[in-house]
Amino acid sequence: MTEKEIKDLLKKAVEDGLSILRYQEERVEQEEIADPFSFYEQFPFLLWSKNGLPDFSYSSVAKIKYSNLFLKGNRYNDIQSWKALQQALLNSKEYVAFYGLTNNEEVARNYHTYFFIADLIDHYAHTYGKLDYHEKAFEPVFQTWYSAWSKNELKVDVWVPILFLHFPVGEVELGPGLQLQQIDDARQLSKAYFGRHLNSKLQQVFASATHALVFNDWVVDNTSLDARNDFLNDPNAFSDILDHLDYLMGSLRVVAGEETGYGQLLVFPAGWADQWAADLVPCLPIEQHNFPASFLNQKWKQAPPKMKEKDIQDIADIYKLLSKGGRKSLEVGVQKLNSIYLNDQAPESMIDILTGLEALLLDEVHGDPVYKLSMRLGSLLQIAPFARKEVADIFKVVEALYKYKLNILKGDSHLNGKEKKISFYPKKKIELVSFGTDLLRHILLTFFKNPQMQEPAYLDRMLINRG
């Protein structure tokens, strides 16, 4: 069958369905019958908290679910145009093969050749806002449905909401096919509706995002429904995006120094769909937790840290350097910084800090690592001053980190809060994880902005010259 033949059949089915809806609506208005329409359950409304983060309320009497009317009492069996479309689709070898329709799978067979018309009409009615047929309103609905099964490849946009950060820009280009973009209201509602099955804490965490990292035009294999679903349900299919996210979140943490993360990949079909919910943008959420466990402890009630506009360019620049590949030590340092922000455990964080510092500043295993690392840190911090005054005792900080690492390697089980701090004269203590994290960030930011300083030999020469 040609596209035009299928379109004409679907058009007639939609016209007849809309006529039935109008008839029932008129009978209700004339009080001939009780209201036969039911509603979507837990349909979201977008609200805004005082801290500037999104929030949602849910209602089960907000949106009419027109599709249910056709299913009551098997009303669809009386619509001849629906039967004609069903028969035509069952006679289409391409359509039957794509959806894998067999007599044994009666539910799937009926849905994709019959019941889907009810959902499509429901989507049309909510999108157009009327129960009348209009060619310009029908055309995009038809094209998205037809594309969903007639094309061998489809495109999707993947949105990754960034949790608990406020950005001063609406949209900014970070790279080819990649933007930092404000989440519009339509996608906020879709995110809430399609994630409504989550427990209340996860709903609150995932709601706390105003912006997302957007990966445009990713290609999906669409040779069959099974092939498409296999792709969209396979985390490995998004491994490239996850690799980019490691760089992006690391770049953000280097610049901002704030706790953040993400919890979902939101897959939005680009120009195709064969399942709908009212006028919502079709969305396929994939849970991918990458945030500190502390976020589950009512962090959404706090005001999010505010990024500065100049920081966005720094984030973009660092991301571009990481994604191009290059000095492995920088990648290791960013990986360890990511791990520190995601890990609430002091032993692991201290090891990550030390490993990151070693990757950035040590070029060989010979000699005393405590001395060499301390000297190079001292040289670097003379060139690029660090705001925290404790750097004056950098040797003691490095010594404490190595002592902590040695105790862990020995399997000491008595480590407690005392080991997380070191004392300075007179009776001053610093928290090692906090200080070490800030120090690692400072060095990474310095190296990214001053590539010549990345060579440890450069720091040695500077130390000798200053000496």
Side-chain angles (χ1 to χ4, degrees):
M1 291 184 67
T2 66
E3 177 180 341
K4 184 179 184 306
E5 289 172 328
I6 293 174
K7 181 179 179 181
D8 289 342
L9 288 169
L10 181 58
K11 172 183 175 180
K12 177 58 176 170
V14 170
E15 286 179 328
D16 289 348
L18 291 170
S19 178
I20 291 171
L21 294 177
R22 290 196 305 272
Y23 175 70
Q24 295 296 324
E25 196 174 62
E26 289 169 3
R27 294 187 67 192
V28 172
E29 291 175 356
Q30 295 170 8
E31 299 183 353
E32 293 181 12
I33 59 172
D35 193 340
F37 297 112
S38 57
F39 296 86
Y40 279 89
E41 294 183 1
Q42 287 190 290
F43 201 86
F45 286 88
L46 178 59
L47 308 171
W48 292 92
S49 300
K50 291 181 179 179
N51 60 8
L53 293 175
D55 195 5
F56 298 91
S57 65
Y58 294 84
S59 171
S60 294
V61 291
K63 290 270 186 178
I64 295 174
K65 193 169 187 176
Y66 292 109
S67 55
N68 282 350
L69 181 114
F70 298 106
L71 305 181
K72 290 179 181 178
N74 297 332
R75 182 178 276 110
Y76 51 84
N77 285 327
D78 300 326
I79 310 174
Q80 293 304 313
S81 59
W82 288 32
K83 291 183 177 180
L85 176 61
Q86 180 188 47
Q87 193 58 49
L89 293 175
L90 288 174
N91 288 333
S92 168
K93 292 181 179 180
E94 180 186 8
Y95 191 86
V96 169
F98 178 84
Y99 284 108
L101 305 180
T102 65
N103 291 331
N104 295 331
E105 296 290 339
E106 186 176 357
V107 173
R109 185 172 183 269
N110 284 339
Y111 177 79
H112 288 296
T113 62
Y114 215 22
F115 303 153
F116 86 91
I117 306 171
D119 288 341
L120 187 147
I121 290 173
D122 178 89
H123 176 63
Y124 168 94
H126 283 290
T127 303
Y128 183 42
K130 299 178 182 179
L131 297 181
D132 301 322
Y133 177 82
H134 193 283
E135 186 70 22
K136 288 186 177 180
F138 172 70
E139 179 67 24
V141 175
F142 169 75
Q143 288 299 335
T144 56
W145 169 76
Y146 187 76
S147 297
W149 61 270
S150 64
K151 294 184 177 181
N152 288 332
E153 289 184 340
L154 297 172
K155 289 184 178 180
V156 297
D157 296 330
V158 182
W159 289 54
V160 186
I162 305 173
L163 303 175
F164 299 113
L165 275 183
H166 178 273
F167 293 90
V169 294
E171 180 178 351
V172 62
E173 199 83 16
L174 296 178
L178 174 65
Q179 295 90 35
L180 171 68
Q181 190 165 333
Q182 188 170 359
I183 306 173
D184 56 273
D185 291 358
R187 284 181 172 79
Q188 289 281 14
L189 290 171
S190 291
K191 177 163 69 80
Y193 179 80
F194 292 106
R196 65 194 185 284
H197 63 281
L198 299 168
N199 67 53
S200 58
K201 282 190 175 182
L202 277 179
Q203 284 185 15
Q204 290 283 4
V205 170
F206 291 172
S208 302
T210 60
H211 287 66
L213 296 165
V214 182
F215 298 83
N216 290 317
D217 295 335
W218 283 67
V219 177
V220 178
D221 179 9
N222 195 50
T223 51
S224 70
L225 180 64
D226 285 342
R228 186 212 299 168
N229 287 341
D230 287 345
F231 181 95
L232 294 175
N233 292 317
D234 180 8
N236 292 325
F238 298 94
S239 59
D240 286 345
I241 285 180
L242 295 178
D243 289 342
H244 283 284
L245 284 172
D246 285 342
Y247 293 147
L248 284 161
M249 299 308 296
S251 303
L252 197 155
R253 290 172 178 132
V254 168
V255 175
E258 300 288 353
E259 285 190 332
T260 186
Y262 59 91
Q264 293 173 302
L265 308 182
L266 303 176
V267 181
F268 290 102
W272 62 273
D274 53 10
Q275 294 188 32
W276 307 269
D279 56 350
L280 295 176
V281 179
C283 175
L284 305 167
I286 300 172
E287 281 193 56
Q288 191 71 35
H289 293 197
N290 192 276
F291 57 84
S294 60
F295 278 20
L296 294 169
N297 190 25
Q298 298 191 10
K299 188 178 181 69
W300 55 85
K301 293 183 177 180
Q302 303 172 18
K306 293 185 177 182
M307 299 290 293
K308 298 176 181 177
E309 194 161 349
K310 66 179 183 64
D311 293 337
I312 308 300
Q313 187 58 52
D314 287 340
I315 292 169
D317 291 343
I318 292 174
Y319 163 71
K320 289 173 185 175
L321 288 171
L322 287 170
S323 58
K324 286 179 181 178
R327 196 171 183 84
K328 186 67 177 176
S329 59
L330 293 174
E331 186 174 338
V332 172
V334 170
Q335 289 173 349
K336 295 306 174 183
L337 188 68
N338 279 337
S339 178
I340 294 163
Y341 276 101
L342 293 173
N343 200 331
D344 295 328
Q345 302 299 317
E348 288 83 354
S349 294
M350 290 202 197
I351 297 298
D352 285 334
I353 291 167
L354 188 53
T355 303
L357 294 176
E358 289 175 334
L360 294 169
L361 294 167
L362 295 186
D363 55 347
E364 55 191 33
V365 295
H366 304 297
D368 180 4
V370 178
Y371 174 79
K372 185 171 290 187
L373 186 58
S374 300
M375 295 302 290
R376 284 179 176 165
L377 273 170
S379 176
L380 172 64
L381 296 176
Q382 287 183 36
I383 307 168
F386 186 36
R388 295 186 62 159
K389 297 178 180 178
E390 298 91 340
V391 295
D393 292 286
I394 196 65
F395 182 87
K396 196 169 187 179
V397 172
V398 174
E399 188 178 44
L401 285 169
Y402 273 104
K403 179 181 178 182
Y404 198 100
K405 178 181 178 179
L406 182 61
N407 287 339
I408 293 172
L409 293 176
K410 286 180 177 179
D412 287 355
S413 59
H414 70 281
L415 298 176
N416 53 43
K418 289 191 301 182
E419 286 79 15
K420 299 177 187 178
K421 297 182 179 181
I422 54 177
S423 299
F424 291 92
Y425 179 83
K427 298 182 179 179
K428 181 181 179 181
K429 294 185 177 182
I430 64 167
E431 207 280 322
L432 273 176
V433 172
S434 170
F435 178 79
T437 303
D438 288 345
L439 181 61
L440 181 58
R441 276 189 55 238
H442 175 73
I443 295 169
L444 282 166
L445 193 58
T446 300
F447 279 3
F448 279 119
K449 290 188 174 184
N450 303 276
Q452 76 279 5
M453 296 176 63
Q454 296 172 16
E455 291 290 343
Y458 175 88
L459 298 177
D460 291 343
R461 289 195 301 272
M462 293 301 297
L463 184 65
I464 294 171
N465 291 339
R466 287 175 180 269

